Amino acid sequence: MKTTTQTKLLINLSLFFTLFYNYSFFENLIQVYTLEENLGFVISTAFVITFFLTFLLGLVSFRYTIKPIAITLLLVSSMTSYFMNSYHVIIDASMIRNMIQTDIHESLDLLSLKQGLYFLFFGLLPSYYVYKVKIEERGFKKEFFSRLKLLLLSLAIIAVAIFSFSKYYTSFVREHKPLRFTINPTYWIYSTGKYINLTFNSAPLVVKPIGLDAKIVDTSSRKKIVIMVVGEASRADHFSLNGYERDTNPLLAQEDIINFPNTYSCGTSTAVSVPCMFSKYDKGSYSYKKGISTENVVDVLKHTKKIAILWRDNNSDSKGVALRVPYEDYKTAKNNTNCKEGECRDVGMLVGLDAFIEKNREKDIFIVLHQMGNHGPAYYKRYTKEFEKFTPVCKTNQLEQCSQEEIANAYDNAILQTDSFLTQTIHFLKRYEKSYDTAMIYMSDHGESLGEGGVYLHGLPYFMAPDAQTHIGTLMWFGKGMKEKVSVSALQKRATNKYTQDALFHTLLGLFHVQTKEYKRELDMLNNEH
Ligand SMILES: [Zn+2]
């Protein structure tokens, strides 16, 4: 094996990163700064990235740290560049939270041959080289001056590059902020730091109770059963209820539902949207830390002491929302009677709910069903054979290998399955109509990109996310008794108004007639004074 010096290894590594892990960055860059007119600038960015990385690595890489650092960066970056190139995702702090909170089962959905090749050629092989290469020992003094020279030279090259194209760099920094999000490995390192800082760098978590004053002020003697279905990745424009040309809601269309065609999510990922929609904070003021350290509407309903609550989850988990109420994992055949070949169906969550209602006869009932829904990228796994109405379907988790039509077909079949699940939930509630006031609320967590403009899946930073990722499926159904109480005809009229997930907190309180100082009437979708 050859020998090298620390200095040479640092420069080579940085160059290697710039050339082989930043396809996404350069692809985006030359869309904004076309090559013909901006060749000099584009080349200068390669120098800036290379020597910025050299500078950063130069500050932390020494005899005993240089190899572990290099190998870690190579292994992780091979994967981040795979996801960035294939799905056009951005590895920001909330994406990292999403990845960490995702369980093994979902990660397996994402595994593919191409990913394996990325890992081999950009992760393992260069790591093996770094591991094997002999680093010359030059003594402290020599190494110190060599390093000092390297750091100063890096800064000088960066300065010259930026100075020569200062006009471009000003617009790059001011007007094209998202470009920086695709630089590998610096952006994922920055995001990891931000994630760690947001998550761990705080005093022990104390959850602030809210709505301790909550009480039910309903003069009616009838009890309520409300089932809230939290959807997964269902975008509004793929619902025939919202005018999609394909009939993706054939069963719901026959039910007396109220559809909300203009509803928008709080985030673009499960980890943001789910806690946000149940929190008292609106999209503007919500943050992960506030969400996790403040009770949510499920807790407030619990404080009334008159509502029996149950959260069943066929997704990853409740993202912290159901930590203080009864929770059942339905992604396991132990609880879910409707599992086959590792895939548990949402409809299994309805089994046994009768017993829960019976056991809590003295109380109102609030049940949350967190769906698997349209979880990507393996949409074709999300429905049973009977729902394979749109063909041919994309049968791989490597979405970029399928045509947009095949992806949409698989995705739409999964919407059909949700159409059926929601209808079965309504039929379940109908059995209780005589003795209870009943309601179902369905709201998806976020939307999904299906390859439009080369963007797949979800999780882009909100300000740059396409409508497909934020415009979500939302609908409600009310049983006979409840219909009168919520004045359905007035609600039907304003259903086309724009709503956001901010409304859910107050709508649930309104539906249960809960009085608390946390309740804001103007945000309640059921409030007739709109
Ligand atoms: Zn989700």
Side-chain angles (χ1 to χ4, degrees):
M1 201 69 171
K2 273 172 53 181
T3 60
T4 186
T5 63
Q6 288 190 28
T7 308
K8 273 189 207 151
L9 184 60
L10 287 180
I11 296 175
N12 288 337
L13 257 178
S14 304
L15 196 62
F16 192 68
F17 271 112
T18 307
L19 295 179
F20 295 108
Y21 297 70
N22 280 286
Y23 176 77
S24 215
F25 169 74
F26 287 112
E27 191 192 20
N28 289 323
L29 184 74
I30 59 177
Q31 269 174 25
V32 182
Y33 302 94
T34 51
L35 263 189
E36 298 89 72
E37 289 154 40
N38 310 287
L39 188 63
F41 169 66
V42 171
I43 292 173
S44 83
T45 61
F47 277 90
V48 173
I49 294 174
T50 305
F51 285 95
F52 182 59
L53 194 55
T54 306
F55 181 79
L56 290 182
L57 288 173
L59 294 175
V60 292
S61 302
F62 306 104
R63 203 171 131 200
Y64 295 109
T65 59
I66 190 165
K67 285 189 174 186
I69 287 175
I71 290 171
T72 309
L73 292 184
L74 287 165
L75 293 177
V76 178
S77 299
S78 70
M79 289 295 85
T80 56
S81 80
Y82 165 76
F83 284 112
M84 280 162 33
N85 297 348
S86 304
Y87 298 121
H88 287 207
V89 297
I90 278 168
I91 313 293
D92 62 5
S94 70
M95 182 62 89
I96 287 174
R97 172 166 301 112
N98 236 345
M99 292 194 288
I100 288 171
Q101 291 185 358
T102 297
D103 54 34
I104 301 281
H105 180 86
E106 287 166 50
S107 309
L108 287 178
D109 262 11
L110 279 168
L111 279 183
S112 67
L113 176 69
K114 188 171 155 198
Q115 189 181 2
L117 293 176
Y118 261 78
F119 192 60
L120 178 66
F121 286 104
F122 298 117
L124 289 178
L125 287 181
S127 293
Y128 181 74
Y129 168 81
V130 171
Y131 176 69
K132 279 284 173 188
V133 75
K134 242 186 138 86
I135 296 177
E136 203 181 307
E137 276 185 48
R138 298 192 291 181
F140 175 79
K141 207 168 146 193
K142 201 162 173 198
E143 203 61 73
F144 176 81
F145 283 107
S146 166
R147 181 62 52 91
L148 194 63
K149 242 172 27 198
L150 181 69
L151 294 178
L152 292 174
L153 187 73
S154 301
L155 287 181
I157 293 173
I158 294 170
V160 168
I162 292 180
F163 186 72
S164 317
F165 296 92
S166 59
K167 225 172 58 200
Y168 292 86
Y169 279 97
T170 313
S171 87
F172 176 83
V173 170
R174 283 198 193 149
E175 287 149 45
H176 303 289
K177 198 173 160 201
L179 285 175
R180 267 176 288 164
F181 301 165
T182 53
I183 298 178
N184 217 352
T186 44
Y187 196 70
W188 74 254
I189 297 173
Y190 165 79
S191 300
T192 308
K194 198 169 155 196
Y195 167 76
I196 290 170
N197 195 18
L198 284 171
T199 310
F200 303 107
N201 194 10
S202 56
L205 188 69
V206 186
V207 180
K208 190 177 143 229
I210 58 164
L212 292 172
D213 61 337
K215 62 168 192 275
I216 293 177
V217 284
D218 188 4
T219 46
S220 144
S221 58
R222 279 162 69 92
K223 296 272 170 256
K224 299 182 182 68
I225 302 176
V226 176
I227 297 184
M228 161 94 212
V229 177
V230 179
E232 173 59 52
S234 79
R235 50 189 275 184
D237 64 348
H238 277 239
F239 275 34
S240 51
L241 291 169
N242 295 326
Y244 187 42
E245 68 271 17
R246 285 177 161 180
D247 194 9
T248 49
N249 306 116
L251 300 173
L252 283 171
Q254 294 168 35
E255 301 295 334
D256 195 8
I257 56 136
I258 300 181
N259 179 46
F260 297 85
N262 293 309
T263 311
Y264 285 81
S265 66
C266 173
T268 61
S269 66
T270 312
V272 175
S273 281
V274 171
C276 181
M277 70 201 268
F278 285 93
S279 90
K280 69 171 195 167
Y281 299 106
D282 60 14
K283 181 180 170 300
S285 57
Y286 174 83
S287 70
Y288 170 75
K289 209 165 166 184
K290 276 185 186 167
I292 203 75
S293 60
T294 316
E295 286 188 347
N296 57 68
V297 68
V298 179
D299 297 299
V300 179
L301 293 175
K302 183 182 158 192
H303 292 326
T304 65
K305 300 195 176 68
K306 298 263 169 66
I307 305 173
I309 298 170
L310 175 65
W311 183 298
R312 284 187 170 177
D313 211 299
N314 194 32
N315 202 295
S316 37
D317 59 46
S318 79
K319 306 297 171 200
V321 179
L323 288 179
R324 295 163 291 275
V325 296
Y327 173 92
E328 291 171 357
D329 179 7
Y330 264 68
K331 245 181 129 176
T332 153
K334 225 172 70 199
N335 293 331
N336 193 330
T337 51
N338 211 319
C339 300
K340 217 175 172 183
E341 287 153 10
E343 184 80 11
C344 293
R345 301 294 168 194
D346 292 330
V347 70
M349 291 193 285
L350 294 173
V351 178
L353 287 183
D354 291 305
F356 179 76
I357 294 169
E358 174 63 24
K359 208 176 77 194
N360 293 287
R361 240 184 311 174
E362 304 305 313
K363 290 181 164 182
D364 286 340
I365 306 281
F366 180 54
I367 296 165
V368 181
L369 306 177
H370 189 193
Q371 272 190 282
M372 188 57 163
N374 275 52
H375 202 297
Y379 309 117
Y380 69 101
K381 288 185 181 170
R382 301 289 107 83
Y383 54 86
T384 46
K385 197 76 195 157
E386 57 187 301
F387 294 100
E388 199 171 275
K389 183 166 150 192
F390 307 109
T391 53
V393 297
C394 177
K395 288 238 167 180
T396 162
N397 47 25
Q398 283 174 268
L399 295 176
E400 71 284 4
Q401 289 185 352
C402 295
S403 72
Q404 229 168 298
E405 196 205 337
E406 290 168 331
I407 296 169
N409 285 342
Y411 181 86
D412 289 345
N413 290 332
I415 297 265
L416 280 173
Q417 176 111 351
T418 287
D419 177 66
S420 162
F421 167 61
L422 294 179
T423 306
Q424 290 184 59
T425 306
I426 291 170
H427 290 176
F428 173 86
L429 287 170
K430 278 183 179 170
R431 295 201 278 110
Y432 288 92
E433 244 175 343
K434 274 209 182 91
S435 40
Y436 282 89
D437 288 344
T438 52
M440 179 191 77
I441 296 182
Y442 166 77
M443 191 180 261
S444 180
D445 58 348
H446 50 76
E448 187 87 334
S449 283
L450 297 172
E452 300 90 350
V455 182
Y456 296 89
L457 302 170
H458 54 265
L460 278 183
Y462 203 93
F463 75 93
M464 59 187 284
D467 216 50
Q469 294 192 16
T470 59
H471 187 190
I472 51 170
T474 302
L475 56 97
M476 297 183 191
W477 173 89
F478 301 99
K480 279 188 196 114
M482 197 70 113
K483 246 181 201 163
E484 289 157 35
K485 289 188 177 163
V486 299
S487 322
V488 164
S489 54
L491 181 60
Q492 190 70 267
K493 272 188 206 129
R494 55 174 197 274
T496 51
N497 289 359
K498 184 173 174 179
Y499 292 101
T500 67
Q501 288 178 336
D502 299 348
L504 186 70
F505 182 94
H506 307 280
T507 304
L508 287 173
L509 293 179
L511 192 56
F512 279 100
H513 296 94
V514 174
Q515 193 179 63
T516 161
K517 63 176 194 300
E518 300 294 345
Y519 174 65
K520 288 185 189 144
R521 201 174 165 72
E522 65 278 13
L523 288 174
D524 181 352
M525 290 163 89
L526 305 176
N527 163 25
N528 280 314
E529 287 148 30
H530 276 301

